[in-house]
């Protein structure tokens, strides 16, 4: 079944420690994998390629459970493909994370009593590089702890020379194709970070505000607007009403007085206004609100900027110099003095954007910025999914993707930072604008200056699938490993990173999409389904769990919860359970090795095997086929569950236990079962390896004498099935399960021996009597045997002599009490379900609950009555 059986490897060792200690195994084993180059991909190889590029974590970041989750799944995919004979490349790297990294270094400077302006741009950027070398990239070491099988020889950074060249190249091409332009638009502005920020860098939360109603104009020419941002009225250039709103039809086109100013502003009719909301009239501040900006463009309204980059008011005498929030109170106070407040301020919860880096309230701001014209790029990104070139998994996530790419706004790509890829635009003394490509010499001479902004971090990370492989050069890596096979990432960034990579990949690579499949995962949550947050606090450092339970346990827990597109709840108890699983694998394999499990020699013919041998091999091949199907469908939870139950339930709890009598007896049957058990362990460890690589590699090399599972072969379904053996062992399992349940019901201890007579004649159970007696602790019947309880099961009969093992009178008394309670519960439930008045009023869920109680009571009554019948007479 496996290559190892034919290759005749060195004799395996049985020298395994009695207990598995992850800390002693994982670190040294990972370093051995890296030193031997197992993860390095060869562009010259004849093997078919399989490529995944890692979503580059921020250089400032550290491993959190979300990383651990996605990395586990990517690692599992790559390890399996490597074992299947692919030239597998999992390419690592980091993102320079513009704002986050600049903030880190500015905080460091602040502790020294300095700002970046004290250093100047060039020296500050050098300082950031120093910080990156000293403190950045901590997450890379943590990825090693997790077991990431990435090709470290290809590690990339978005500010590397090669990736920087890619950035300049695509900027130049987009600019020349008139897909990059400069314009004044509304952007998200952080008054703390002093830069435009992307939508993904804005976190929205429900904040408590105050809704203020203000009267504009006089007498019949007045109307009332409501706002939570009274200070922005200083920049109003119109009031808008719906064109069909009869209340304001007489005002449309007229000028009204703007309070606190010496200006008049027009009333305009715009279909954007909802006449049912509030008063049906809205103030229009084009320079400080994105919706107002669009109204302003439609009606050719001026845009008045009333704040500077720090959020400080710059217009109207008494308010100049006030912070925006101070100005809010001051403006309301002044309006109140003039009698313009027509309703008391009232609390109002509304969604407010905050900078994800510093938590400052974001200010919509009219600003001159660089933009990407996304129309044709986004259409291409949509078409690639619609025509099947790219598959989204799960498929129902496609709608979210289309909702985004089909309605995408132009992308603001400039940031007012010093750390990042500087925009390659030069301005001349006479208004010249020159875009400089990577092979161009920038213009020189008096009056020439480069644009001071840098590019949005997502601009460079959008090139990641091909820039990391050497583009724009036609490198062997690019030819071999592009397009990548799968992008595995959270559904929360489908709108940002995924869409940008699709747009840039299709544009730069002549219509060839950057990946064949987009596999979207959910987000990791706590065991109660709540979002993990440092402020909750329910966030967990995965390294703490790795220290306590081992990396394999963390990985298996994460994979076991990974249903496509669904969020993943995780709790420490589940990690403990996974630790128990790795321990079980270790202990059971150790036992098997000590009792003759081997892969030496060919697998015996089926005619030489016992039913248990044939059953476990049949189940093994079924599991191989199931796991392959689940991998191909990205069903990680199902494949982990299948492997768990096969390993623990079928191999360890049933096959090993059923085979113990064979092993203890020795002889040819023991040799055959030892070879079968070796085969099963060999394949099982291979199947488990991509998810739990450490414990499986340590055990497999001991079992087989092979070099490493990392470069081992992935098992194939040999096609061997034996339905007769499966049915035979199912009968054995039924007998053992039923008798165990009866023993437990009678209060017998697990190890307590009971005399029994087994009537198995005429059934397939005859060859299994010794195993059944061994597993059920059943002694021979003896001369004084008295059948005090008889259990018919699976066509056989098991008679037990319980005299002297239980207090029959006490047991009858206990069961009679339980029976009375169950009958009372049944009577009460029937009474309610028979009451028409109750059924008419009770909610459906209450009625369903009572029906469930009735069903349970009836089951309990049947079970207890059966137990009473089986008891000997007192």
């Amino acid at each position: 079944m496996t290559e190892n059986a034919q290759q005749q490897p060195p004799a395996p060792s049985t020298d395994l420690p009695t207990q598995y200690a992850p800390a002693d195994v994982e670190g040294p084993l990972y370093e051995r994998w890296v030193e031997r180059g197992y993860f390095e991909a060869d562009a010259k190889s004849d093997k078919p390629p399989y490529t995944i590029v890692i979503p580059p974590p921020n250089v400032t970041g550290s491993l959190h459970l979300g990383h651990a989750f996605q990395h586990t799944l990517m690692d599992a995919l790559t390890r399996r493909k490597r074992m299947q004979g692919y030239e597998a490349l999992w390419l690592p790297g980091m993102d320079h994370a513009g704002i986050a990294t600049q903030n880190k270094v500015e905080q460091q400077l602040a502790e020294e009593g300095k700002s970046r302006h004290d250093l100047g741009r060039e020296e500050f950027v050098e300082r950031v590089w120093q910080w990156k070398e000293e403190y950045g990239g901590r997450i890379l070491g943590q990825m090693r702890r997790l077991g990431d099988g990435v090709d470290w020889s290809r590690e990339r950074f978005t500010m590397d020379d090669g990736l920087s060249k890619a950035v300049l190249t695509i900027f130049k091409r987009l600019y020349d194709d008139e897909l990059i332009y400069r314009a004044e638009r509304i952007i998200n502005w952080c008054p703390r970070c002093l830069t435009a920020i992307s939508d993904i860098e804005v976190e929205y939360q429900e904040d408590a505000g105050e809704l203020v109603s203000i009267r504009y104009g006089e007498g019949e020419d007045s109307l009332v607007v409501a706002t939570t941002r009274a200070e922005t009225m200083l920049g109003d250039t119109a009031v808008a009403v719906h064109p069909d709103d009869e209340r304001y039809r007489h005002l449309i086109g007229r000028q009204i007085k703007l309070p606190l100013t010496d200006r008049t502003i027009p009333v305009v009719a715009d279909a954007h206004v909802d006449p049912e909301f509030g008063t049906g009239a809205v103030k229009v501040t084009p320079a400080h609100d994105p919706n107002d900006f669009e109204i302003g463009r439609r009606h050719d309204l001026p845009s008045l900027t009333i704040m500077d980059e720090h959020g400080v008011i710059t217009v109207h005498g008494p308010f100049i110099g006030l912070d925006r929030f101070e100005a809010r109170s001051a403006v309301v106070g002044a309006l109140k003095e003039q009698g313009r407040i027509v309703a008391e301020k009232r609390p109002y919860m509304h969604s407010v954007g905050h900078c994800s880096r510093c938590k400052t309230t974001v200010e919509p701001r009219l600003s001159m910025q660089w933009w990407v014209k996304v129309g044709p790029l986004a259409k291409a990104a949509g078409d690639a999914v619609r025509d099947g070139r790219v598959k989204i998994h799960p498929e129902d996530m496609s709608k979210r993707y289309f909702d985004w790419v089909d309605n995408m706004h132009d992308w603001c790509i400039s940031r007012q930072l010093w750390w990042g890829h500087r925009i390659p635009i030069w301005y001349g003394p006479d208004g010249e604008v020159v875009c400089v490509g990577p092979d161009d010499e920038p213009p020189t001479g008096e009056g020439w200056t480069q644009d001071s902004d840098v590019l949005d971090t997502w601009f460079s990370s959008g090139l990641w699938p091909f820039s990391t492989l050497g583009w724009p050069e036609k490198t062997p890596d690019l030819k071999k490993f592009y397009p990548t096979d799968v992008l595995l990432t959270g559904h929360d960034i489908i709108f940002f990173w995924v869409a940008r990579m699709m747009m840039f990949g299709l544009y730069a690579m002549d219509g060839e999409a950057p990946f064949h499949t987009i596999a979207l995962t959910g987000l990791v949550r706590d065991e109660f389904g709540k979002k993990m947050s440092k402020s909750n606090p329910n966030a967990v450092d995965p390294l703490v769990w790795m220290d306590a339970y081992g990396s394999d346990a963390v990985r298996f827990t994460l994979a076991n919860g990974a249903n496509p597109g669904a969020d993943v709840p995780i709790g420490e108890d589940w990690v403990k359970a996974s630790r128990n699983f790795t321990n079980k694998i270790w202990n059971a394999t150790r036992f098997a090795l000590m009792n003759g499990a081997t892969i030496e020699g060919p697998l015996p013919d089926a005619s030489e095997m016992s039913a248990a041998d044939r059953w476990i091999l049949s189940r093994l091949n079924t599991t191989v086929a199931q796991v392959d199907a689940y991998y191909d469908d990205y069903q990680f939870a199902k494949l982990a569950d299948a492997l768990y139950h096969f390993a623990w339930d079928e191999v360890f709890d049933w096959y090993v236990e059923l085979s113990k009598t064979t092993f203890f007896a020795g002889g040819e049957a023991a040799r055959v079962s030892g070879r079968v058990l070796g085969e099963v362990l060999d394949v099982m460890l291979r199947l488990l390896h991509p998810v739990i690589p450490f414990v499986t590699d340590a055990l497999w090399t001991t079992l087989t004498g092979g070099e490493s599972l990392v470069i081992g072969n992935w098992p194939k379904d040999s096609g061997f099935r034996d339905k007769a053996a499966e049915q035979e062992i199912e009968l054995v399992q039924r007998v053992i399960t039923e008798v165990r349940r009866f023993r437990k019901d009678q209060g017998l201890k697990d190890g307590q021996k009971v005399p029994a007579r087994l009537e198995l004649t005429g059934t397939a159970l005859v060859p299994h009597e010794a195993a059944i007696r061994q597993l059920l602790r059943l002694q021979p019947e003896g001369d004084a045997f008295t059948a005090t309880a008889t259990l018919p099961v699976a066509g056989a009969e098991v008679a037990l002599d319980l005299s002297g093992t239980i207090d029959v009178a006490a047991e009858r008394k206990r069961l009679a009490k339980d029976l009375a309670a169950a009958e009372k519960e049944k009577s009460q439930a029937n009474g309610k379900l028979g009451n028409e008045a109750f059924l008419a009023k009770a909610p459906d869920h209450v009625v369903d609950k009572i029906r469930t109680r009735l069903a349970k009571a009836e089951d309990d009554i049947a079970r207890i009555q059966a137990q009473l019948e089986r008891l000997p007479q007192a």
Side-chain angles (χ1 to χ4, degrees):
M1 183 178 293
T2 65
E3 277 192 17
N4 290 78
Q6 287 80 42
Q7 291 176 345
Q8 292 293 301
S13 165
T14 57
D15 186 21
L16 282 173
T18 56
Q19 291 185 324
Y20 178 50
D24 296 339
V25 172
E26 293 177 351
L29 189 54
Y30 186 85
E31 292 309 314
R32 193 179 313 140
W33 294 337
V34 174
E35 289 167 6
R36 293 180 179 180
Y38 294 156
F39 304 139
E40 293 180 13
D42 183 2
K44 299 177 182 178
S45 167
D46 293 332
K47 297 178 182 178
Y50 183 81
T51 317
I52 296 179
V53 291
I54 205 165
N58 287 355
V59 67
T60 61
S62 60
L63 190 74
H64 56 65
L65 274 174
H67 290 128
F69 170 55
Q70 292 181 0
H71 287 208
T72 293
L73 305 187
M74 285 185 278
D75 194 31
L77 290 172
T78 311
R79 285 178 182 270
R80 172 176 174 259
K81 285 296 184 181
R82 187 180 292 114
M83 295 174 73
Q84 287 181 315
Y86 287 79
E87 195 62 39
L89 169 61
W90 187 19
L91 193 148
M94 293 183 299
D95 191 282
H96 64 278
I99 294 177
T101 309
Q102 179 156 321
N103 280 349
K104 287 279 187 184
V105 179
E106 288 199 82
Q107 289 166 13
Q108 196 178 63
L109 287 173
E111 293 172 3
E112 302 170 13
K114 298 178 182 177
S115 74
R116 59 178 163 131
H117 300 285
D118 294 324
L119 274 63
R121 184 170 192 141
E122 188 173 331
E123 189 177 340
F124 176 78
V125 170
E126 180 59 34
R127 180 72 175 260
V128 180
W129 278 108
Q130 292 172 8
W131 183 92
K132 185 257 182 185
E133 295 303 317
E134 188 171 354
Y135 301 105
R138 179 174 52 151
I139 192 171
L140 299 179
Q142 295 167 342
M143 287 162 53
R144 302 170 88 96
R145 282 286 313 279
L146 187 64
D148 282 9
V150 296
D151 186 346
W152 292 110
S153 70
R154 284 180 167 81
E155 180 192 334
R156 304 306 299 269
F157 180 55
T158 49
M159 292 283 285
D160 284 350
D161 289 343
L163 271 66
S164 295
K165 181 177 182 180
V167 168
L168 295 177
T169 300
I170 202 160
F171 187 100
K172 172 72 170 168
R173 290 187 186 179
L174 289 165
Y175 183 85
D176 290 345
D177 287 343
E178 298 183 348
L179 293 174
I180 283 182
Y181 64 95
R182 194 171 186 235
E184 195 174 40
R185 301 275 180 83
I186 290 282
I187 46 89
N188 303 307
W189 180 265
C190 177
R192 156 62 183 78
C193 298
L194 298 181
T195 181
I197 58 177
S198 66
D199 290 339
I200 198 172
E201 292 162 328
V202 179
E203 294 179 348
Y204 288 91
Q205 65 185 47
E206 290 295 311
D207 283 1
E210 291 181 326
L211 196 63
V212 181
S213 296
I214 309 167
R215 188 179 80 255
Y216 284 25
E218 304 294 343
E220 293 183 357
D221 289 348
S222 69
L223 40 69
V224 174
V225 300
T227 181
T228 58
R229 305 178 68 216
E231 73 282 3
T232 61
M233 67 160 293
L234 301 175
D236 285 359
T237 56
V239 172
V241 298
H242 193 276
D244 298 331
D245 194 331
E246 292 293 338
R247 293 171 295 176
Y248 305 116
R249 186 180 295 276
H250 68 290
L251 289 176
I252 295 173
R254 297 177 61 176
Q255 297 281 326
I256 61 171
K257 183 76 164 51
L258 178 65
L260 305 183
T261 73
D262 56 2
R263 293 191 291 118
T264 59
I265 56 176
V267 177
V268 298
D270 196 282
H272 170 77
V273 179
D274 180 2
E276 302 298 322
F277 182 78
T279 64
V282 297
K283 57 192 289 299
V284 181
T285 320
H288 292 279
D289 183 274
N291 292 322
D292 292 3
F293 177 75
E294 295 301 326
I295 293 175
R297 292 178 66 177
R298 288 194 288 272
H299 298 277
D300 199 23
L301 300 174
S303 295
L304 302 181
T305 299
I306 63 165
M307 298 180 204
D308 66 14
E309 60 187 7
H310 298 279
V312 173
I313 302 298
T314 58
V315 297
H316 296 286
F319 309 112
I320 292 175
L322 293 181
D323 172 80
R324 53 188 168 153
F325 300 117
E326 296 173 336
R328 184 170 302 169
S329 297
V331 166
V332 170
L335 289 167
K336 189 173 289 186
E337 287 181 7
Q338 292 188 4
R340 292 284 177 178
I341 303 295
V342 300
E344 289 297 320
K345 294 185 293 182
R346 58 185 178 90
Y348 183 76
M349 296 299 296
H350 59 143
S351 181
V352 178
H354 297 260
C355 174
S356 62
R357 302 300 176 191
C358 67
K359 311 309 176 188
T360 301
T361 299
V362 169
E363 186 65 37
R365 175 180 169 86
L366 185 64
S367 180
M368 183 68 75
Q369 302 284 344
W370 284 95
W371 304 80
V372 171
K373 186 185 294 182
V374 299
L377 303 175
K379 182 181 184 303
D383 290 346
V385 175
R386 286 189 170 94
D387 63 25
R389 280 175 287 158
V390 178
K391 304 290 186 185
I392 292 180
H393 188 88
E395 191 175 353
D396 58 12
M397 287 283 180
S398 298
K399 182 180 184 302
R400 298 181 66 183
Y401 176 81
F402 292 132
D403 285 346
W404 179 252
V405 297
D406 293 347
N407 300 285
M408 194 182 295
H409 299 295
D410 284 0
W411 170 21
C412 175
I413 56 172
S414 45
R415 299 291 179 268
Q416 290 64 55
L417 305 172
W418 286 356
W419 172 245
H421 295 101
R422 194 164 176 182
I423 288 178
I425 294 289
W426 291 74
Y427 304 107
D430 298 318
E432 303 96 331
V433 179
V434 176
C435 181
V436 177
D439 300 320
D440 301 332
E441 288 294 327
T444 58
E446 186 176 348
W448 283 94
T449 58
Q450 185 176 0
D451 195 297
S452 60
D453 289 351
V454 300
L455 288 164
D456 177 12
T457 298
W458 295 97
F459 191 94
S460 52
S461 60
L463 313 180
W464 191 252
F466 52 94
S467 65
T468 52
L469 297 173
W471 187 90
E473 308 304 326
K474 295 181 178 179
T475 64
D477 276 358
L478 191 65
K479 181 178 179 181
K480 177 77 173 181
F481 297 113
Y482 186 92
T484 68
D485 286 86
V486 59
L487 170 73
L488 191 145
T489 191
H491 62 63
D492 56 323
I493 59 172
I494 186 173
F495 314 123
F496 305 103
W497 191 47
V498 177
R500 281 149 173 67
M501 284 190 292
M502 285 287 285
M503 291 191 302
F504 280 168
L506 290 161
Y507 174 78
M509 298 300 293
D510 299 321
E512 196 167 23
F515 16 75
H516 300 304
T517 301
I518 301 169
L520 297 170
T521 69
L523 308 179
V524 178
R525 297 184 178 273
D526 72 11
E527 59 192 304
F528 305 107
K530 294 181 179 178
K531 182 178 179 180
M532 287 194 173
S533 167
K534 291 179 181 178
S535 59
N536 270 354
N538 61 351
V540 175
D541 182 350
L543 296 170
V544 173
W545 282 351
M546 288 184 212
D547 289 341
Y549 310 113
S551 297
D552 281 335
V554 174
R555 290 171 62 115
F556 192 81
T557 306
L558 291 165
N560 206 25
N563 289 300
D567 288 347
V568 183
I570 184 171
E572 188 167 7
D573 285 345
W574 305 342
V575 183
K576 289 179 182 177
S578 296
R579 185 269 317 272
N580 294 343
F581 180 48
T582 60
N583 286 345
K584 181 75 171 180
I585 297 170
W586 182 273
N587 294 334
T589 303
R590 185 173 180 274
F591 168 85
L593 289 169
M594 294 171 63
N595 286 275
T598 180
I599 64 162
E600 292 186 43
L603 196 64
D605 189 77
S607 62
E608 302 176 59
M609 299 179 189
S610 68
D613 294 335
R614 288 180 279 113
W615 165 74
I616 196 63
L617 288 176
S618 184
R619 292 296 307 134
L620 175 68
N621 279 283
T622 298
T623 302
V624 171
Q626 283 180 334
V627 169
D628 274 333
Y630 290 145
Y631 262 115
D632 293 341
D633 199 32
Y634 303 98
Q635 297 279 359
F636 296 98
K638 289 183 178 179
L639 72 88
D641 186 67
L643 287 169
Y644 177 90
H645 288 293
F646 175 73
W648 193 307
D649 299 345
E650 297 185 306
V651 178
F652 303 143
D653 279 0
W654 283 111
Y655 180 69
V656 170
E657 293 299 319
L658 288 170
S659 302
K660 279 183 178 178
T661 53
T662 303
F663 289 137
F664 295 159
E668 180 62 15
R671 185 195 70 78
V672 171
S673 290
R675 179 63 187 88
V676 170
L677 180 54
E679 182 77 10
V680 170
L681 291 175
D682 177 17
V683 175
M684 182 194 76
L685 291 170
R686 293 170 189 263
L687 290 173
L688 283 164
H689 175 74
V691 179
I692 47 174
F694 294 109
V695 68
T696 51
D697 199 45
L699 290 172
W700 184 84
T701 52
T702 302
L703 169 71
T704 67
E707 183 180 344
S708 174
L709 257 183
V710 180
I711 54 171
N713 295 315
W714 184 252
K716 295 181 180 179
D717 175 8
S718 71
F720 178 83
R721 300 288 192 280
D722 193 324
K723 291 300 180 184
E726 291 193 32
Q727 290 170 358
E728 185 172 326
I729 297 304
E730 284 173 10
L731 289 177
V732 176
Q733 291 172 326
R734 281 176 57 194
V735 171
I736 293 172
T737 301
E738 186 65 25
V739 177
R740 279 177 173 167
R741 184 181 296 118
F742 177 76
R743 287 176 58 108
K744 183 178 180 181
D745 288 342
Q746 306 309 315
L748 296 177
K749 295 179 181 178
D750 290 342
Q752 190 170 350
K753 295 182 178 179
V754 178
R757 180 175 64 242
L758 273 61
E759 296 291 348
L760 308 178
T761 306
T763 72
L765 296 166
V766 174
H768 304 284
E769 179 170 353
I772 292 171
R773 285 187 176 275
Q774 171 70 25
L775 291 174
L776 290 172
R777 306 293 191 268
L778 301 180
Q779 294 178 317
E781 53 194 278
D783 296 336
F785 178 83
T786 301
T788 59
T790 302
L791 284 74
V793 57
E797 191 173 270
V798 179
L800 304 173
D801 184 353
L802 301 179
S803 58
T805 60
I806 61 172
D807 184 337
V808 176
E811 186 64 13
R812 280 190 173 279
K813 184 177 180 180
R814 181 184 71 82
L815 289 172
K817 182 179 178 180
D818 290 347
L819 181 61
E823 288 175 336
K824 181 180 179 181
E825 176 74 2
K826 177 183 176 182
S827 176
Q828 290 176 342
N830 273 327
K832 288 185 177 180
L833 293 174
N835 185 332
E836 293 296 333
F838 171 79
L839 292 177
K841 295 180 180 179
D844 289 345
H845 73 275
V846 172
V847 176
D848 289 342
K849 188 175 181 180
I850 293 171
R851 287 186 177 130
T852 302
R853 284 168 49 193
L854 174 62
K856 183 179 184 303
E858 290 174 338
D859 288 344
D860 288 344
I861 290 169
R863 175 179 55 81
I864 296 167
Q865 287 175 338
Q867 289 177 239
L868 284 166
E869 289 173 5
R870 291 169 181 166
L871 279 176
Q873 296 302 312

